[in-house]
Amino acid sequence: MSFFKNRAGGQPRAKRSPEPSGTLGRKNSTGSEPPSPGGQSGPKPLYLSRPFSDAALVKGNFKTIVMQPKYVDPNEWVAVNIFDFYTNLNEFYGCLTECCTQQSCPTMAAGPSLNYVWIQDRKKVTLSAPTYIDSVMSTVQNLLDDENVFPTKDSKPFDENTFHRTVHDIYIQLLRVFAHLYHAHYPHILHLRAEPHFNSLFAHFLAFGAQYHLFDERDIRGEPNAPVGVGLLWERWKTVGILEG
């Protein structure tokens, strides 16, 4: 029986708001809006401040929990973790939808001078964060439901020619959702007393992605004139040994 099928089978699809057309991938949502004047100034984000940056459910290095179990197919292992990261992040976002609105988050901001944009019909489109996130989550759900991408039958193998590219694109978009929630909604996460859970989920996500080469360093760092806010958190966790240096 498929290892992935045990996790993915029978999961209901969450209803989402309408999203813009386009396929999932860096080419369809890359870049940023022009930096805001004085965008780099301001107080230190709470997610970079102690004790919040150190709050976690798991102590120590995440290396051991991302290692592929013996006798498990590598693609199955990646697939089941993609499913779990998507499901857990989607549940966190569901707790924050009242805070993440068209009015509070008119752009998909992920840093003081970084706003992710969507590419639709070869044009850059600035979307509000809830529209962008709903688009990402709906597209990922459609991919998870697609037997040609994430097969759940033993007789159907993963497509070696396209699978890694697909999961890489999924990973980049989920990373951007994490980045927005940290940048714009970490105080709300603190209010829910969920920072140990959210930090542990993100650290696990980063450790797994690094282990299986599912994102590039520039995806977490950003560009010099538009850095990703959580890039500094990634650096801190490497320094203290939570993530591999």
Side-chain angles (χ1 to χ4, degrees), residues 84-212:
D84 284 346
F85 289 135
Y86 162 78
T87 300
N88 289 320
L89 181 57
N90 197 22
E91 290 177 352
F92 266 107
Y93 175 61
C95 296
L96 299 169
T97 51
E98 292 184 0
C99 308
C100 188
T101 66
Q102 305 284 339
Q103 292 71 37
S104 66
C105 302
T107 63
M108 185 62 176
S113 58
L114 174 62
N115 295 312
Y116 293 123
V117 294
W118 197 262
I119 302 300
Q120 186 175 351
D121 298 328
R122 299 184 179 181
K123 296 180 181 179
K124 292 183 179 181
V125 180
T126 300
L127 301 178
S128 68
T131 302
Y132 190 110
I133 294 173
D134 280 354
S135 178
V136 169
M137 294 302 193
S138 294
T139 306
V140 173
Q141 181 69 69
N142 288 337
L143 289 170
L144 290 169
D145 290 343
D146 190 340
E147 281 286 325
N148 293 316
V149 182
F150 289 91
T152 59
K153 296 180 176 60
D154 294 336
S155 59
K156 187 174 182 62
F158 290 87
D159 188 335
E160 296 291 343
N161 294 322
T162 61
F163 181 70
H164 190 271
R165 180 71 254 175
T166 299
V167 295
H168 182 274
D169 290 342
I170 290 174
Y171 228 79
I172 299 310
Q173 295 298 341
L174 295 183
L175 175 59
R176 292 177 175 186
V177 176
F178 273 113
H180 173 74
L181 296 185
Y182 268 104
H183 172 71
H185 301 295
Y186 201 69
H188 303 119
I189 293 171
L190 294 178
H191 181 72
L192 295 171
R193 297 184 178 180
E195 70 276 12
H197 303 75
F198 197 65
N199 285 354
S200 292
L201 175 62
F202 187 46
H204 187 185
F205 176 86
L206 292 177
F208 190 88
Q211 179 69 27
Y212 299 100

